[in-house]
Amino acid sequence: MQNFVVAIMPFYGFNVLDALVLNLGAVQRGLGRSAYFRVYEALENRYPGGQVDRFEIPNEEVVGYLGEEVYRKLGEDGLAEVETYVTDKDVIIGRTSPPRFLEEISEFGVVKEKRRESSIKVRKGKPGWVDKVLITEAEGGNRLAKVKVRSEMIPEPGDKFSSKHGQKGVVGAIVPEADMPFTAYGLKPDLILNPHSIPSRMTIGHLLEMLTGKAAALKAEVMDGTPFNEVSIEEVRKILKAYGFRPDGKEVFYDGISGEKIEGEIFTGVIAYRRLYHMVAHKIQARARGPVQILTRQPTEGKEKEGGLRFGEMEGETLIGHGAAILLHEKFLEDADKVVELVCENCGVIAINDKIRNRKYCPICKGSKVYPVEMSYGFKLLLDELKALGIYPKLVLADKV
Ligand SMILES: [Zn+2]
């Protein structure tokens, strides 16, 4: 929660539809900055046979060794040092585990234990400083390590801010201080709010807080903002007037880009804003090709699984409506689950492609009159499921137009 100097005015379309405009100068001075914490945990498991996991810096002999670079943030105990900067390329809890199967006995009759790498890395896109490192005991007496990583979140376009009155919005632009509108006193707002956010929502408290905040800032005094005591608006107006401001809170502004006077007075005041949890840095995602589901071979969904953005039935329908056949083909086949299957001309079933014996034949008539057909894997799966139900789906081949 921080007090922002807010002006209620449009700004070159950058604050339409509940978007907010921030002052870059204010952001660089620390406005709206917050910390994001994430805790990573790892256990030293005990296995039957007396073998244990170990927190340590893995050496080259460990199976799955990630390279010296990756472990350079670790201290002697295998845990990252406090206040070091770590990214997704760094291990923060170094750990090795015993081999899954006992290795065969070497010629000297000793079992050479080859340990496995099982370290914990920083999550992708969540770099930060190691804030705290803790070793404790988990249930069952195993050693438990916890490492807390602190990320500094600097406001950027797409981050969410709100006042106490539910006037929430997303940053649409962070404008250089020189381009911000200014008053005759040279004051520039920290945040510009769109006037359309006010009448329909009737958040009178927002306006009252701005006005009272302005008076309190001028007087350098704390004023009561709770609904339990009446703060007379007349009193607030008197204070503003006494300090040479208009009692209605409006001020004349000059355009920071053209330097021209802006027509109409602009309501300006001081109000508490808070940063909300939703931040673009945690949501931004893009993929070209990537992981697919094993059953359908279609791209996975969701950010955690590096998924694609769904181009659904309704979106496909719009392409049909526009007659965009090639784009439709691209979105539903090329970008999704395209396969080329062999189909028997006589029986209309998917044929067998025996790559070892280099033979292509039909599973029913054993004939070799089979032809490649482009289809979606989802359709091939449907054919398989119908066959499993005892239904014979027959494809009729025609010449490709
Ligand atoms: Zn056949």
Side-chain angles (χ1 to χ4, degrees), residues 343-349 351 361-370 392:
V343 177
C344 173
E345 195 182 32
N346 302 321
C347 315
V349 292
Y361 62 98
C362 168
I364 298 177
C365 68
K366 312 291 176 197
S368 57
K369 273 188 155 181
V370 293
Y392 172 18

Side-chain angles (χ1 to χ4, degrees), residues 241-263:
K241 205 167 180 188
Y243 282 90
F245 283 84
R246 280 178 56 150
D248 59 4
K250 290 180 183 172
E251 286 183 52
V252 172
F253 271 81
Y254 297 86
D255 189 306
I257 295 167
S258 68
E260 278 170 33
K261 186 176 160 183
I262 296 170
E263 281 205 36

Side-chain angles (χ1 to χ4, degrees), residues 206-224:
H206 191 100
L207 303 176
L208 289 178
E209 191 187 339
M210 278 176 73
L211 206 67
T212 314
K214 192 173 181 177
L218 288 168
K219 237 181 140 188
E221 249 180 34
V222 175
M223 288 176 81
D224 193 348

Side-chain angles (χ1 to χ4, degrees), residues 2 9 25 51 116 126 143 169 179 232 244 270-271 354-355 360 393:
Q2 248 176 348
M9 62 181 286
Q51 300 185 95
R116 284 184 295 123
K126 301 232 168 58
R143 278 219 307 166
D179 294 339
S232 134
V270 178
I271 179 169
D354 187 339
K355 281 178 183 162
K360 293 166 183 169

